[in-house]
Amino acid sequence: MKVAFLVAPEGVEQVELTDPWQAVRDAGGTPRLVSTKPGRIQAFDHLDKADTFEVDQVVKDATVEEYDALVLPGGVANPDFLRLDKTAVAFAKSFFDAGKPVAAICHAPWTLVEADVVRGRTLTSWPSLRTDITNAGGVWVDEQVKVCTGGPNTLITSRKPDDLKAFREAFLEEFTKAAKGSTKGSAR
């Protein structure tokens, strides 16, 4: 299971990156940090600078075919920066077009709103995104985790860091199914 974690050069909520990242590793998967610029990204603990992390791949060089799934961590600034980058938005949308699962937490659905992939989907997020999601044609629910299969792919969403346990359990189940499906008939 190879999972892309798409983040901006700064503004990602650290725990929403590191907790799902560790869950993928613990499940035997390979997480890769994909960003809009090479080098290191600056994570945050709410509004305070936290650690930095090395970028594995620049989004302009990444393709959906390389990955089994996508994680979009939150943080207020992170998805706001991403939704202004056409390549990042296109990369996120490509997972929907390819029918591959996407997991997004907190403010991360802003990137999905920009990609125009929430129409007809049911998802959750940080409460302040409710109007944006609804205006983009999605159905917003206030739930710890929401797994929506009513579209071209499986979309797993959660509201906040307190939901991380439920979030990682839900996305690992879906990602494992997807990874097993992508290895059928291949020599991986």
Side-chain angles (χ1 to χ4, degrees), residues 11-15 43-50 75-77 107 126 161:
V12 69
E13 185 70 27
Q14 182 161 315
V15 72
F44 281 74
D45 181 10
H46 191 52
L47 298 175
D48 298 320
K49 284 186 177 181
V76 178
H107 290 80
W126 186 253

Side-chain angles (χ1 to χ4, degrees), residues 145-167:
V145 66
K146 180 63 184 172
V147 177
C148 178
T149 57
N153 68 333
T154 300
L155 175 60
I156 306 99
T157 52
S158 280
R159 303 170 298 191
K160 57 189 173 185
D162 289 347
D163 299 338
L164 278 165
K165 183 179 186 303
F167 181 62

